[in-house]
Amino acid sequence: MTDLTAPELVLTDLVATDRVDATRQLAQTLADAGRVTDLEQFLADVAAREEQMATGIPGGIGLPHARSAAVTVPSLAVGRVVSGERIDWGAPDGPANLVFLIAAPTEGEADHLQILAALARKLVHASFRESLLAAPDAAAVSSTVLTEVYGR
């Protein structure tokens, strides 16, 4: 079984002009890892989801997500915005410094909702967010997410 995330799916110094740019960079990690077969289709699916409702949540979090035929396996790409920068994701409390891109296959509605719910339950805790921001590298971010959110 493939883990939901891995160090190669983590950008620890994300620099982006806006949420579209940030999403593209994170989605590219999924494509590079063979988890997304058609980058443009996946980005279109994420954009369609974002048009329904902004996916920023309190605590400085961007949580773009989509089910897509371009996704081969449920995956999570993580972006930690470079220190001092923030990206507007439409959250009521302001822009994001952590971004989690959830990708699920079209037929993976249950997987998609489980990933979203499990992650959201942890993200409400400042200590979890702070541990991700303080993690020394991509491997530590990935390990923290897998351990704290998914018990792996």
Side-chain angles (χ1 to χ4, degrees):
M1 180 176 162
T2 302
D3 276 336
L4 188 66
T5 194
E8 64 269 17
L9 303 179
V10 177
L11 300 177
T12 56
D13 291 311
L14 179 62
V15 176
T17 56
D18 57 23
R19 70 175 114 182
V20 172
D21 182 27
T23 300
R24 177 173 286 281
Q25 290 182 53
L26 289 169
Q28 186 65 58
T29 69
L30 297 172
D32 291 347
R35 293 172 181 234
V36 167
T37 58
D38 183 335
L39 180 62
E40 296 308 318
Q41 179 60 58
F42 178 64
L43 289 170
D45 293 336
V46 173
R49 171 60 190 85
E50 285 284 322
E51 285 177 17
Q52 294 174 8
M53 181 172 59
T55 56
I57 61 173
I61 306 298
L63 200 56
H65 55 278
R67 288 185 299 130
S68 174
V71 176
T72 60
V73 61
S75 300
L76 176 68
V78 181
R80 186 172 65 190
V81 180
V82 71
S83 182
E85 299 294 318
R86 297 260 177 155
I87 301 168
D88 181 16
W89 228 279
D93 68 337
N97 58 357
L98 288 169
V99 181
F100 300 86
L101 176 59
I102 299 171
T106 302
E107 66 281 357
E109 184 169 1
D111 290 334
H112 180 238
L113 294 176
Q114 287 174 346
I115 295 166
L116 190 57
L119 189 56
R121 278 193 297 274
K122 285 304 278 187
L123 288 170
V124 299
H125 300 286
S127 60
F128 176 66
R129 297 188 310 267
E130 289 164 6
S131 70
L132 295 175
L133 291 170
D137 55 31
V141 171
S142 175
S143 176
T144 298
V145 169
L146 290 173
T147 301
E148 295 293 321
V149 179
Y150 304 102
R152 293 192 184 143

